[in-house]
């Protein structure tokens, strides 16, 4: 039993590092605040592969650390909560949309990615209302929607590829 917990912890730490690196590796600043990056594709994959608890923890930690490293520390608390929720929602939607099949369908993968990105856009909108005010939050909606489209497409593709591997599908079983 203890071996399983150590394996889960190490795997989650690896995915947290991957989320952080994917967020940092390609940063395209947006007008206002925020940036387009590849982190969301790893957040979605991490949530779906590691489950709602380990996936949410790894995604939250990795993305929030990236905010600190990139100089967006003011977003740390929001990112921590939002990316963790994204991962948990992606997992839950993938399971529900898949209907209990062994291998997730393309529909299930796209639905999970889209729903997770809706959580991201809505989450940052609410966070920025408190942080910056309604006007600035509304102005950032377009940038967040752009980030969501990049995350959704790249997340669906990455997850589809990763789920073809028997080893990755049974990662923590």
């Amino acid at each position: 039993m203890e071996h399983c917990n150590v394996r889960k912890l190490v795997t989650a730490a690896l995915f947290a590092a991957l989320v952080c690196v994917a967020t940092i590796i390609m940063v395209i600043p947006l007008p206002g605040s925020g940036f387009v990056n590849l982190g969301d594709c790893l957040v979605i994959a991490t949530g779906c592969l590691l489950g709602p608890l380990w996936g949410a923890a790894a995604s939250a930690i990795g993305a929030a650390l990236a905010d600190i490293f990139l100089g967006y520390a003011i977003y740390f608390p929001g990112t921590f909560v939002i990316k963790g929720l994204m991962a948990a929602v992606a997992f839950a939607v993938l399971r529900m949309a898949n209907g209990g099949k062994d291998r997730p369908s393309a529909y299930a993968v796209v639905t999970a990615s889209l729903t997770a990105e809706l959580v991201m856009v809505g989450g940052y909108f609410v966070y920025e209302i408190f942080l910056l005010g309604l006007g600035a939050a509304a102005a950032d909606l377009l940038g967040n929607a752009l980030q969501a489209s990049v995350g959704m497409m790249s997340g669906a593709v990455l997850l589809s590829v990763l789920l073809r591997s028997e080893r990755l599908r049974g990662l923590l079983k």
Side-chain angles (χ1 to χ4, degrees), residues 77-136:
T79 295
F80 188 86
V81 171
I82 293 163
K83 299 302 179 170
L85 281 173
M86 281 178 67
V89 165
F91 174 82
V93 171
L94 183 71
R95 293 288 172 142
M96 286 189 310
N98 195 40
K101 296 177 191 152
D102 185 38
R103 177 169 286 166
S105 66
Y107 168 79
V109 170
V110 170
T111 303
S113 298
L114 175 62
T115 308
E117 291 301 340
L118 289 173
V119 168
M120 186 273 290
V121 171
Y124 278 115
F125 180 69
V126 170
Y127 185 71
E128 288 179 342
I129 287 173
F130 291 106
L131 188 67
L132 308 169
L134 181 59

Side-chain angles (χ1 to χ4, degrees), residues 149-166:
S149 63
V150 169
M152 186 190 80
M153 289 184 286
S154 61
V157 169
L158 178 64
L159 188 55
S160 294
V161 169
L162 293 177
L163 287 173
R164 291 176 190 233
S165 166
E166 285 293 325

